[in-house]
Amino acid sequence: MARPTSFPAPSCIRPAFSPPASSPSPSPPPRLRAADSPTGTVVTSFAPATDIGAIVAAAPDSSVRFLAVTSNGVRRLGADGTVEPTSSFGLSVFNASAILPLPDGRALIGGGFASQTHLPSATPSSRTRLFRLNADATGTVDPTYAPSLLGTVTILAPGAGGKIYIGSEVTLTGTTGTLGLQRLLADGTADPTFVPPPLTGVAE
């Protein structure tokens, strides 16, 4: 018996599964959320823009506001996460990575930058790796605070008597400062009494 050279096509082919119905791409989830301190419940009324980074601290004033590092600088957020317009508050600064509010209403900003611009007044300044915001409404840079640093500041922590701990790849020029950890006096100069522990790598 001769073997047939072709077979008739089946009358119906059903797929093993049905493809899902097309739907619009979901919006990216926010990278910053707020939670109630006692319960941990997410505060749904706090809804910042998706480009807000994770470096956030309470604003240096008595209101319920926050300072945040965004994709293009330092911004101030309202209690609901709304970013204030740059005409009222803002700094253009790249590679900022640390924020520390101070008790007197000012704030420190650290990172790997070499300059910044006060956006409401379009005033540039050339503070390197660490600068201090004045306690004013628009966030001007304090011209009297000018520590001399090499490396990148990635962490800031308060100390007693107005002193500040700075960490990461940090060396204070003109001193025997080390990479990793150092302490500054309130005026931004190195604390000569501080002997940092031996560290290897980067303090974060």
Side-chain angles (χ1 to χ4, degrees), residues 3-189:
R3 179 176 297 178
T5 58
S6 62
F7 296 90
S11 59
C12 179
I13 298 178
R14 294 185 178 180
F17 63 94
S18 299
S22 60
S23 59
S25 300
S27 301
R31 293 189 289 170
L32 178 65
R33 295 180 183 272
D36 179 72
S37 179
T39 65
T41 304
V42 174
V43 180
T44 57
S45 61
F46 185 80
T50 56
D51 69 337
I52 298 298
I55 311 300
V56 180
D61 55 35
S62 59
S63 65
V64 184
R65 293 186 293 188
F66 307 91
L67 293 178
V69 173
T70 72
S71 58
N72 56 0
V74 178
R75 300 290 184 268
R76 190 166 58 194
L77 311 181
D80 62 354
T82 302
V83 181
E84 294 188 20
T86 56
S87 58
S88 61
F89 184 97
L91 287 155
S92 176
V93 54
F94 297 95
N95 298 322
S97 54
I99 299 176
L100 179 64
L102 302 175
D104 61 3
R106 294 179 290 188
L108 295 177
I109 308 294
F113 45 79
S115 64
Q116 52 283 145
T117 299
H118 179 244
L119 294 175
S121 64
T123 302
S125 55
S126 56
R127 294 292 177 265
T128 302
R129 293 157 180 110
L130 183 64
F131 63 88
R132 186 165 62 191
L133 294 180
N134 287 316
D136 54 27
T138 64
T140 57
V141 176
D142 183 353
T144 68
Y145 188 82
S148 183
L149 301 174
L150 299 174
T152 299
V153 178
T154 60
I155 188 169
L156 295 165
K163 297 176 182 179
I164 300 297
Y165 291 94
I166 57 177
S168 190
E169 299 174 335
V170 178
T171 299
L172 282 88
T173 58
T175 75
T176 57
T178 66
L179 295 179
L181 183 65
Q182 190 51 266
R183 187 168 66 192
L184 302 183
L185 300 175
D187 62 359
T189 58

